[in-house]
Amino acid sequence: MNPELAYFLKVNAGIALFYAFYRLFFYRDTFFAWRRTALLCFFILSFIYPLMNLQEWIKGHEPMVAMADLYASAVLPEFTITPTDIVNWKEIFILSSGYLYWGGVLLLLLRFFIQFISIIRLRLHCRSEIIRGTRIYQLPQASGPFSFFHWIFIHPTSHTNEELDEILTHELAHVRQHHSVDVLFSELACIACWFNPFVWLIKREIRSNLEYLADHRVIESGHNYQSYQFHLLGLAHQKAAANLSNSFNVLPLKNRIKMMNKKRTKEIGRTKYLMFLPLAALLMIISNIEVVARTTKSIAKEVIENVEQTVNERLTESPATEQVPPQDKKGVKQVTPTKKQTPAQVDEKDPVFEVVEDMPDFVGGLDGLMSYLSKNIKYPEAAIKKNIQGRVIIQFIVRKDGKVSKPEVIRSVSPELDAEALRVVSAMPNWTPGRQKGKLVSVKYTVPIMFRIPGNKATKPTDSSKATINEPQSQQKKPGDNTVFEVVEQMPTFPGGNQVMMEYIAKNMKYPSAAIKCGTQGRVILAMVIDKEGNVTQPRIVKSVSPELDAEAIRLVKAMPKWIPAKQRGIPVNVKYTLPIMFMMQ
């Protein structure tokens, strides 16, 4: 779920919760001024509370962290959706929902502006007059009196002098207390959240309460409340001249008359208005627990995506490519260059970044990249004769114009395979370039390419530190001894699978305080050996970020439970395993 949608859902949930709270505690009292403040605060807090950042406070309290972990595991499950069955329907639903929502917003905005313009036009065409020391604008025909900010519209000849006094007192209360601000605010909230019935209910309560305030002012000023009520009943048949305004007779008169006759609530009842403060605090805490849970889930997802390329690596019948590590593709949007994460090369005109907000993307995405490489790789005849196979890792730069430049081998297998990998990468079509803060930038990108001889399912064994590249097939060691393989028929798996590994890393990762103070973040890559019993042995750092993060990555790996060991030809074997762990600060 993207942050904008999460924010929008929280806003509407807050509106619903606040309305229920209002009906439960404030609906029947006569503290109209307090009620006005509370209703406006309900709207304002609904839009603000999802933006309040209490994540650091929550992370510092173990019960809150436990709640976030529970939320992440119980409320935020991961779903696997197959492209052929569900994705298209999901996309259609999301797209149609978006069109429906924005269509409703546009229609309500159009209605809002039509009403607003009608009031302006009425103001320009109505003749002004001073009555009882107050400037009013004479309506052209008999209509219900109303006010809009400091404009008061009346049809004077339709009312007696006593009725004019009551109307002016009522409308002046609207003007002096700036009730039109409440009206406009509630209208805009309804436009933004038009599909939420509770926003319309709160709008109705705001409009009703404003009339209660004005009616109360009329009674306080000394007018006879019975004659005033009869006056309201006499105007009930008149149509309101405008809706975007404070109308004298627009609301159901039964509620207004009942409220005028209602016994005043005791002053001690005002204290209950303080009860919504704990409710607002609780909403902010729950919102931030949800954010922390999603962050934990996101970090764990990044980690497990990095692991998947190794876990899912398998033998194929033709030269193929490994999946591009997700940390080098679009998806790591939380990380931006900081003081500790600078461009890869010092070039004021065109700096090259390691990680940006929007990573470069091959035309057609990851599937397009894999398809391109698989179709264009030509296994060198010399390598086939020498039975050479393995993984070549190429690093290159995707420039701002999308062109691939400066490809280089950062992990070699043989001159023949290295040259073929460089040829294929150099011939790539233009990419969709990366972006940082909305600007096109050059980004360093890494692609691992697996060369495997067709029909040769045996893999080359390695020792614990270095792969044996050119060892003839006849000299390959058989599984069952202390050989350490790089790729086997059945790769080792974490007990419980990828999801459990993701949860293990997320829950057990402890970001070093020294790294937090220095703002250090990045990707630590470890190499380790999963032995025949499933034990994690010989962990070492392949790519370092800082001593603190390296040490934490080593600690995480050493504390892992036993894995399900790898198998070659049905026999458990030792396998070299590479695990990237991403450390990211929010």
Side-chain angles (χ1 to χ4, degrees):
M1 183 185 299
N2 61 59
E4 293 79 10
L5 180 57
Y7 168 79
F8 196 60
L9 292 177
K10 289 178 185 178
V11 167
N12 285 276
I15 289 173
L17 184 61
F18 280 131
Y19 177 75
F21 187 74
Y22 166 82
R23 292 286 297 194
L24 185 63
F25 292 104
F26 306 148
Y27 181 64
R28 297 185 180 277
D29 65 41
T30 58
F31 302 121
F32 306 127
W34 284 67
R35 190 191 294 189
R36 178 193 181 192
T37 302
L39 287 168
L40 286 178
C41 285
F42 290 161
F43 263 146
I44 294 170
L45 283 173
S46 296
F47 283 92
I48 289 180
Y49 87 88
L51 303 176
M52 297 292 185
N53 191 342
L54 303 177
Q55 296 178 39
E56 294 304 319
W57 180 81
I58 287 174
K59 291 176 182 178
H61 293 73
E62 287 299 327
M64 299 296 178
V65 175
M67 289 178 65
D69 289 341
L70 179 63
Y71 185 92
S73 59
V75 187
L76 299 176
E78 293 291 334
F79 297 98
T80 302
I81 302 176
T82 58
T84 57
D85 298 332
I86 302 175
V87 170
N88 290 338
W89 288 108
K90 180 181 177 182
E91 291 176 353
I92 292 172
F93 174 76
I94 293 174
L95 190 62
S96 60
S97 298
Y99 285 140
L100 179 64
Y101 168 75
W102 287 111
V105 169
L106 290 175
L107 286 175
L108 290 173
L109 274 175
L110 179 62
R111 171 177 169 267
F112 175 86
F113 283 116
I114 289 174
Q115 292 178 355
F116 184 79
I117 292 172
S118 68
I119 295 176
I120 301 297
R121 290 183 61 188
L122 199 60
R123 158 67 178 83
L124 295 175
H125 290 86
C126 287
R127 183 169 61 88
S128 65
E129 179 183 352
I130 303 298
I131 299 179
R132 312 290 196 276
T134 302
R135 180 177 296 277
I136 63 99
Y137 295 90
Q138 296 184 16
L139 292 171
Q141 57 187 4
S143 301
F146 70 94
S147 62
F148 186 72
F149 287 95
H150 63 280
W151 301 335
I152 298 176
F153 297 84
I154 305 176
H155 188 253
T157 58
S158 300
H159 310 285
T160 64
N161 289 335
E162 183 181 355
E163 290 174 347
L164 280 175
D165 287 339
E166 292 172 351
I167 292 172
L168 287 174
T169 303
H170 182 99
E171 298 303 332
L172 282 172
H174 286 314
V175 170
R176 289 167 181 168
Q177 296 176 23
H178 309 290
H179 290 176
S180 293
V181 174
D182 303 44
V183 173
L184 289 181
F185 190 82
S186 62
E187 287 288 342
L188 293 175
C190 286
I191 291 172
C193 307
W194 61 267
F195 61 89
N196 185 348
F198 297 101
V199 75
W200 296 95
L201 292 172
I202 292 183
K203 171 194 168 183
R204 185 187 67 182
E205 294 302 325
I206 287 176
R207 297 292 294 268
S208 297
N209 189 65
L210 295 179
E211 296 306 318
Y212 299 155
L213 277 166
D215 291 340
H216 185 62
R217 180 71 188 95
V218 173
I219 302 303
E220 275 188 336
S221 64
H223 292 280
N224 184 279
Y225 74 93
Q226 289 183 340
S227 64
Y228 178 61
Q229 291 169 9
F230 282 122
H231 180 201
L232 291 176
L233 289 172
L235 291 174
H237 68 282
Q238 292 189 2
K239 184 179 179 181
N243 292 323
L244 194 65
S245 59
N246 298 290
S247 299
F248 185 76
N249 62 326
V250 73
L251 293 172
L253 295 179
K254 180 181 177 181
N255 291 339
R256 292 174 63 180
I257 292 173
K258 284 176 62 177
M259 197 59 69
M260 278 187 273
N261 294 326
K262 187 177 180 64
K263 184 179 178 180
R264 301 295 100 176
T265 308
K266 294 181 180 180
E267 292 298 315
I268 190 66
R270 296 180 191 272
T271 56
K272 67 183 179 182
Y273 280 85
L274 299 177
M275 294 173 60
F276 85 89
L277 294 177
L279 176 64
L282 180 63
L283 269 179
M284 285 188 284
I285 291 173
I286 292 174
S287 173
N288 280 268
I289 285 177
E290 191 268 349
V291 172
V292 170
R294 288 192 181 278
T295 301
T296 302
K297 201 79 168 179
S298 176
I299 293 174
K301 187 176 181 181
E302 293 294 339
V303 173
I304 199 62
E305 284 179 347
N306 292 334
V307 175
E308 281 181 349
Q309 71 154 41
T310 309
V311 174
N312 296 326
E313 188 179 55
R314 62 187 184 276
L315 299 174
T316 59
E317 295 183 356
S318 61
T321 66
E322 292 185 302
Q323 287 192 1
V324 179
Q327 69 272 10
D328 292 328
K329 66 177 181 177
K330 185 179 294 185
V332 187
K333 295 188 177 180
Q334 298 95 327
V335 181
T336 55
T338 64
K339 292 181 180 179
K340 294 293 179 179
Q341 186 179 340
T342 55
Q345 76 178 38
V346 180
D347 184 348
E348 294 181 357
K349 294 183 179 179
D350 187 15
V352 178
F353 290 87
E354 293 268 357
V355 183
V356 291
E357 293 171 351
D358 292 311
M359 293 295 292
D361 199 15
F362 190 83
V363 177
L366 179 59
D367 292 338
L369 174 60
M370 296 177 68
S371 175
Y372 166 82
L373 293 174
S374 298
K375 291 178 180 178
N376 289 275
I377 287 176
K378 298 177 181 178
Y379 214 112
E381 291 292 335
I384 295 176
K385 292 178 181 179
K386 297 177 183 178
N387 196 34
I388 300 173
Q389 54 187 2
R391 181 178 58 187
V392 178
I393 299 180
I394 303 292
Q395 189 172 77
F396 53 90
I397 295 172
V398 179
R399 293 291 182 188
K400 292 188 290 187
D401 56 3
K403 293 181 179 179
V404 173
S405 67
K406 299 183 179 179
E408 59 178 330
V409 176
I410 60 174
R411 179 181 176 184
S412 172
V413 173
S414 73
E416 297 87 357
L417 298 186
D418 295 351
E420 177 60 16
L422 285 172
R423 182 194 69 78
V424 173
V425 169
S426 299
M428 280 182 175
N430 287 358
W431 288 49
T432 301
R435 289 179 179 270
Q436 180 66 13
K437 297 180 180 180
K439 296 182 179 180
L440 298 176
V441 294
S442 298
V443 182
K444 187 176 287 187
Y445 205 96
T446 303
V447 173
I449 302 175
M450 176 63 75
F451 289 87
R452 194 171 289 118
I453 297 175
N456 186 357
K457 295 187 178 180
T459 58
K460 297 205 178 305
T462 69
D463 58 27
S464 60
S465 60
K466 185 176 180 180
T468 303
I469 302 301
N470 296 320
E471 183 180 14
Q473 187 173 3
S474 60
Q475 297 179 11
Q476 292 182 14
K477 297 180 180 180
K478 297 180 180 180
D481 55 20
N482 292 325
T483 300
V484 178
F485 289 82
E486 274 208 354
V487 183
V488 290
E489 294 171 351
Q490 184 178 335
M491 293 295 290
T493 57
F494 192 86
N498 294 350
Q499 180 70 20
V500 178
M501 178 190 285
M502 175 176 68
E503 293 174 358
Y504 167 84
I505 294 175
K507 290 181 179 179
N508 290 275
M509 180 185 292
K510 298 178 181 178
Y511 215 109
S513 57
I516 294 176
K517 292 178 181 177
C518 297
T520 308
Q521 55 186 5
R523 183 184 62 200
V524 177
I525 299 180
L526 302 96
M528 55 189 177
V529 175
I530 310 297
D531 66 18
K532 291 180 287 187
E533 285 74 36
N535 297 312
V536 177
T537 63
Q538 304 176 32
R540 62 186 179 86
I541 301 297
V542 176
K543 180 182 177 183
S544 171
V545 174
S546 74
E548 297 85 5
L549 298 187
D550 296 351
E552 174 59 16
I554 291 289
R555 185 196 67 79
L556 271 173
V557 168
K558 284 185 175 180
M560 281 183 171
K562 283 190 175 183
W563 288 49
I564 299 172
K567 289 185 179 182
Q568 179 71 4
R569 300 174 188 172
I571 301 174
V573 292
N574 307 317
V575 175
K576 186 177 180 181
Y577 200 95
T578 303
L579 176 65
I581 299 179
M582 180 69 80
F583 290 86
M584 291 186 296
M585 293 186 298
Q586 298 302 309

